[in-house]
Amino acid sequence: MSPSPEILTPERILEATEDVLRRYGPTKATVVDVARALGVSHGSVYRHFRTKAALREAVTARWLGRTEELLGELSEEPAKTAEEKLRQWLAVLFEAKRHKAGDDPELFATYGVLIQEASGVVDEHLLVLIGQLAAIIGEGVRSGQFAARDPLAAARAVFDATARFHDPVYAPQWERPEIDDEFRAVCELLLRGLRA
Amino acid sequence: MSPSPEILTPERILEATEDVLRRYGPTKATVVDVARALGVSHGSVYRHFRTKAALREAVTARWLGRTEELLGELSEEPAKTAEEKLRQWLAVLFEAKRHKAGDDPELFATYGVLIQEASGVVDEHLLVLIGQLAAIIGEGVRSGQFAARDPLAAARAVFDATARFHDPVYAPQWERPEIDDEFRAVCELLLRGLRA
């Protein structure tokens, strides 16, 4: 990224940070590298992100936020039943994670390191995802399709039971040919368990 | 373990190997250490296990086999329904893994390293466990309690869906106070999905 006369926004800093992380890796990347990529002083970067840790957390939250947005859009489609939404939500989550892991493995590994530093950011991300699931399950309960007494607890259980298909520790398994059948079998069993 | 005039059996060698692994860790432990602990020459050990890798695989298989035996006994109790057996099988698996991780964390970490070397042994272990689950589910189908069309596929799905409660990668989470509620919620959802 070359110097530019544009206004220095948090978003531009985060974009440059991701580029720098991709290029230098999570251990070597510094705030000075980010400032250099933007053609500004490192003081200008620190005006938006007070510490290196804060900058790393923000870029991790932005990365995780992309998946949240993608999934959030799904649950807003009014034409679908709760069961269709739930099935699609789980499939899109798996696909999104698999693409992140497979298309850009270095960036995925980099965020794997950042995630371990930013447990608060990850907890927040998990709450958002489980909240989206709970909203879909709650909708299914109201329409009489699902029987869960506590949609949030049911959402947590569905999320836990599908860990193999979204937790990055399983990324090496996501290229196995059987994985799609295994994913479908777990989803169908869970949907059967949710139905009224 | 001090020298003894007993006959050198594979079982005695494996016991000594586990002791040596516990004492020296997986990187430093050698066949010579095992032989010394038994008061025999390393040639005597090699007569039973042809290579160091074969010895490490055998000790790993023995460690995993203990869990298989414990769980195998459960499915043979004729008084219980398939649903009770399944619930208990999952609870005993979780407890066994949690104890292994919590009571002797160094040995658990050691086997964590050995397991990565012995993928064939682990695959075999997973087949045994999934086979036990399939037998319980098949029994439930025959008695009309469960509805699975393919008990082996259902067993695989139940095993995958409970990974969070038996896969060693999650061991750090097994001490969290919420984990038992989370485990129960996943089990109940899966049982609901299996019922006829």
Side-chain angles (χ1 to χ4, degrees):
Chain A
M1 195 168 284
S2 57
S4 114
E6 292 169 57
I7 295 162
L8 188 65
T9 59
E11 180 55 26
R12 279 191 64 217
I13 295 173
L14 293 175
E15 254 173 49
T17 303
E18 191 170 279
D19 281 348
V20 163
L21 282 166
R22 185 185 275 117
R23 237 179 306 153
Y24 301 117
T27 323
K28 289 191 188 154
T30 66
V31 175
V32 171
D33 295 325
V34 174
R36 193 177 299 130
L38 290 161
V40 302
S41 71
H42 63 274
S44 309
V45 174
Y46 280 123
R47 259 194 293 283
H48 288 90
F49 299 96
R50 287 193 320 140
T51 62
K52 184 180 172 182
L55 178 57
R56 287 163 81 98
E57 278 192 12
V59 78
T60 308
R62 174 175 172 268
W63 189 65
L64 297 171
R66 277 184 225 147
T67 308
E68 294 168 11
E69 275 172 43
L70 192 67
L71 291 165
E73 286 164 15
L74 280 185
S75 49
E76 282 156 24
E77 294 180 40
K80 294 206 180 90
T81 68
E83 182 165 329
E84 286 165 342
K85 279 185 192 175
L86 185 56
R87 194 179 270 116
Q88 204 183 343
W89 191 95
L90 291 169
V92 169
L93 176 61
F94 183 26
E95 266 314 292
K97 295 271 176 168
R98 180 149 61 170
H99 272 294
K100 275 182 173 175
D103 297 351
D104 197 343
E106 280 173 29
L107 191 66
F108 191 73
T110 289
Y111 277 111
V113 172
L114 293 182
I115 271 169
Q116 280 164 10
E117 296 169 7
S119 63
V121 169
V122 174
D123 289 349
E124 183 63 34
H125 173 61
L126 298 181
L127 284 180
V128 169
L129 294 189
I130 292 169
Q132 291 181 352
L133 265 182
I136 298 173
I137 294 172
E139 203 183 302
V141 171
R142 283 190 301 280
S143 73
Q145 208 175 8
F146 293 151
R149 257 167 303 177
D150 179 347
L152 190 58
R156 173 87 219 196
V158 169
F159 194 75
D160 286 348
T162 50
R164 210 172 130 76
F165 311 102
H166 55 68
D167 190 324
V169 298
Y170 290 109
Q173 303 210 18
W174 294 342
E175 301 301 321
R176 290 167 53 239
E178 317 87 277
I179 197 80
D180 287 299
D181 282 341
E182 291 166 6
F183 172 69
R184 266 188 295 271
V186 168
C187 287
E188 292 314 313
L189 183 58
L190 295 173
L191 280 166
R192 220 174 166 273
L194 286 171
R195 271 178 217 138
Chain B
M1 196 166 287
S2 57
S4 117
E6 292 168 60
I7 295 162
L8 189 65
T9 58
E11 181 55 27
R12 280 190 63 217
I13 295 173
L14 293 176
E15 256 174 45
T17 304
E18 191 171 279
D19 281 348
V20 164
L21 282 166
R22 187 187 271 115
R23 237 180 306 152
Y24 301 117
T27 322
K28 289 189 188 155
T30 67
V31 175
V32 171
D33 296 325
V34 174
R36 193 178 297 132
L38 289 161
V40 301
S41 71
H42 63 275
S44 309
V45 175
Y46 280 124
R47 258 193 295 281
H48 288 90
F49 299 96
R50 288 193 318 139
T51 61
K52 183 180 172 183
L55 179 57
R56 287 163 81 98
E57 276 192 13
V59 79
T60 307
R62 176 175 170 267
W63 189 66
L64 297 171
R66 278 183 224 147
T67 308
E68 294 167 11
E69 276 171 44
L70 192 68
L71 291 165
E73 286 163 16
L74 279 185
S75 48
E76 282 155 24
E77 294 180 41
K80 292 205 179 92
T81 68
E83 182 164 331
E84 285 164 343
K85 280 186 192 175
L86 186 57
R87 195 179 269 117
Q88 205 184 341
W89 191 95
L90 291 169
V92 170
L93 176 61
F94 183 26
E95 266 315 291
K97 294 272 177 169
R98 181 150 59 170
H99 272 295
K100 275 182 173 176
D103 297 351
D104 197 343
E106 280 172 29
L107 191 65
F108 191 75
T110 289
Y111 278 110
V113 173
L114 293 183
I115 271 170
Q116 280 164 10
E117 296 169 7
S119 62
V121 170
V122 174
D123 288 348
E124 184 63 33
H125 174 61
L126 298 181
L127 284 180
V128 169
L129 294 188
I130 293 170
Q132 291 181 351
L133 264 181
I136 299 173
I137 293 173
E139 204 182 303
V141 170
R142 281 191 301 280
S143 73
Q145 208 175 9
F146 292 152
R149 256 166 304 176
D150 178 347
L152 190 59
R156 172 88 219 196
V158 169
F159 195 76
D160 286 348
T162 50
R164 209 173 132 77
F165 311 103
H166 54 69
D167 190 325
V169 299
Y170 290 108
Q173 304 210 17
W174 295 341
E175 300 302 318
R176 290 167 52 239
E178 317 87 278
I179 197 82
D180 287 300
D181 282 343
E182 290 166 7
F183 171 69
R184 268 187 295 272
V186 168
C187 288
E188 293 313 313
L189 183 58
L190 295 174
L191 280 166
R192 217 173 169 273
L194 285 171
R195 272 180 216 135

